[in-house]
Amino acid sequence: MTACIVGWAHSRFGKLEGETLESLITKVAAEAMEHAGIGPEDVGEIVLGHFNAGFSAQDFTASLVLQTDDRLRFKPATRVENACATGSAAVRQGIRAVDSGARFVLVVGAEQMTTTPGPEIGANLLKASYLPEDGDTPAGFAGVFGKIAHAYFQRYGDQSDALAAIAAKNHKNGVDNPYAQMRKDLGYDFCRQESEKNPFVAGPLKRTDCSLVSDGAAALVLTDATTALSMRRAIAFRANEHVQDFLPMSKRDILLFEGCEQAWAQALKTAGVTLDDLSFVETHDCFTIAELIEYEAMGLAKRGEGAKLVLEGYTAKDGKLPVNPSGGLKAKGHPIGATGVSMHVLTSMQLAGEAGGIQVPNARLGGIFNMGGAAVANYVSILDRIR
């Protein structure tokens, strides 16, 4: 890969009072350009990741980035969308723009979800499933993953201990992430036990198994490797792979996450590395069952044996392969369009040694998995600091 990340910005995630979609976008866009040391006049192309699906009355949002600075007027700007992997789809589009000759590409991911009433949030998110089969699923998208968790339990036994351990791990990690929506160490016992504050939501999934509804934005600046090496920092893409699978879960074995498996296999081959070479991974824990299955799909464990990784501390921040040192979607929040960009920003911060309290010591190579739907849109990046 020739593209490199040379600047970035990240808003706090959560219920952001007083913010609009436009303000979220323009703030991180301005900060990312400043961090990269470039001006609006240097930007050759703009890509905005924005899912929407009913969260914003303002659609056709690509040009909102131009509100950052009048000097962005007349720059090509495109909005991309691929469900919960929208942010990574925007990053990939930005890489293609660099490969096509754009010197600097500004990639922004943003979503404002919390101003939407609860029932509408569920209906909007369910649009990322195959409606002819799943459109009437109780509890919306949580219900879809509740069915996945139930099927996994039927095949491999009750995994409630592992799901609670994943939730507890990610919430503990999120305490030190200043961008995270929930900075509270909930502890294993709270995550494991059903309670008034932690009720069952769908199937075997409790509230602590589900990612948060969030507002937020992130942005990054891409350029070619030659230009990047002359700048203050350069985080190179060793690999960036995209695999799209069937939308209906009935057409595949949903417990295999085969699109995730394919994306990881292609990325590791492209990068010329193995999982043992990675310093950490940021993976898509929209629900704890997703992180559990992703362990197996990426090749860390055999099918049905992912639980031992978290229960034995393998994926802890101080484990052999830290997974979600940022706190993941579980603690950090999941503003749909921003999530994939956020994962790339936080991974870049780790590799640059600028991650503060969530820093993984001596981080050299970072892996990212971001997915849309139930393992339908699958994106894997492997990042390496070259300056």
Side-chain angles (χ1 to χ4, degrees):
M1 305 297 296
T2 58
C4 294
I5 300 171
V6 293
W8 51 78
H10 201 296
S11 81
R12 185 173 65 83
F13 283 3
K15 185 177 176 63
L16 304 182
E17 302 286 357
E19 296 283 5
T20 64
L21 180 64
E22 182 177 321
S23 69
L24 289 169
I25 289 170
T26 56
K27 284 179 182 178
V28 294
E31 290 170 9
M33 288 186 289
E34 181 179 5
H35 189 252
I38 67 168
E41 64 279 359
D42 298 313
V43 173
E45 190 160 335
I46 297 164
V47 186
L48 172 67
H50 179 219
F51 175 64
N52 198 6
F55 289 114
S56 170
Q58 174 67 65
D59 215 332
F60 186 41
T61 47
S63 286
L64 289 182
V65 187
L66 275 59
Q67 300 294 92
T68 307
D69 192 292
D70 287 353
R71 288 171 290 176
L72 291 175
R73 189 183 184 193
F74 304 132
K75 305 286 186 180
T78 308
R79 169 191 162 193
V80 300
E81 182 278 320
N82 214 357
C84 300
T86 288
S88 289
V91 172
R92 187 167 174 83
Q93 181 93 339
I95 291 171
R96 289 182 171 185
V98 169
D99 289 344
S100 296
R103 189 176 183 209
F104 291 107
V105 177
L106 175 62
V107 178
V108 181
E111 210 74 56
Q112 186 175 41
M113 302 172 69
T114 67
T115 55
T116 302
E120 291 181 32
I121 291 174
N124 291 347
L125 294 176
L126 196 57
K127 293 175 185 177
S129 67
Y130 185 56
L131 295 182
E133 291 180 359
D134 300 315
D136 296 324
T137 302
F141 214 63
V144 172
F145 274 85
K147 289 193 292 186
I148 294 171
H150 179 72
Y152 190 96
F153 284 22
Q154 282 194 316
R155 186 176 297 182
Y156 300 117
D158 190 322
Q159 305 294 323
S160 297
D161 290 350
L163 299 191
I166 289 170
K169 166 183 70 73
N170 292 348
H171 279 294
K172 182 178 181 180
N173 290 348
V175 169
D176 295 319
N177 183 350
Y179 307 111
Q181 180 170 350
M182 184 179 289
R183 300 180 66 186
K184 184 176 182 180
D185 185 355
L186 298 179
Y188 172 80
D189 290 341
F190 179 83
C191 296
R192 180 64 179 84
Q193 301 300 321
E194 178 193 8
S195 65
E196 184 178 346
K197 292 185 177 180
N198 190 28
F200 282 102
V201 174
L205 301 181
K206 297 184 287 293
R207 182 175 291 164
T208 49
D209 293 306
C210 307
S211 59
L212 303 163
V213 173
S214 319
D215 307 329
L220 52 83
V221 175
L222 299 171
T223 191
D224 63 274
T226 301
T227 301
L229 287 171
S230 69
M231 302 182 74
R232 289 177 292 184
R233 59 184 70 75
I235 310 298
F237 282 86
R238 290 279 293 272
N240 176 256
E241 300 293 338
H242 171 206
V243 170
Q244 199 83 359
D245 207 346
F246 294 127
L247 184 58
M249 292 193 295
S250 62
K251 295 190 68 172
R252 50 205 169 98
D253 184 340
I254 192 57
L255 300 187
L256 299 182
F257 278 25
E258 292 163 287
C260 172
E261 180 181 35
Q262 289 289 320
W264 268 109
Q266 291 176 196
L268 292 169
K269 182 179 179 180
T270 298
V273 300
T274 69
L275 292 173
D276 290 336
D277 296 315
L278 299 181
S279 303
F280 65 95
V281 167
E282 287 288 337
T283 201
H284 193 100
D285 60 321
C286 52
F287 300 92
T288 52
I289 185 64
E291 181 169 326
L292 179 62
I293 297 175
E294 286 157 17
Y295 293 163
E296 300 166 12
M298 67 189 290
L300 282 178
K302 294 180 181 179
R303 298 295 181 182
E305 298 182 7
K308 65 182 181 182
L309 295 171
V310 67
L311 293 174
E312 295 174 3
Y314 188 101
T315 57
K317 188 179 175 184
D318 59 355
K320 184 175 180 180
L321 182 62
V323 175
N324 286 331
S326 69
L329 285 58
K330 187 71 218 48
K332 177 164 58 74
H334 184 24
I336 307 298
T339 292
V341 182
S342 164
M343 294 169 115
H344 285 81
V345 167
L346 291 168
T347 297
S348 298
M349 292 172 67
Q350 289 280 6
L351 298 175
E354 299 175 10
I358 62 172
Q359 183 69 52
V360 173
N362 303 312
R364 308 228 178 267
L365 207 63
I368 299 164
F369 173 67
N370 182 204
M371 75 177 178
V376 177
N378 303 274
Y379 292 81
V380 172
S381 292
I382 296 177
L383 301 184
D384 182 13
R385 184 178 183 180
I386 59 174
R387 179 173 172 78

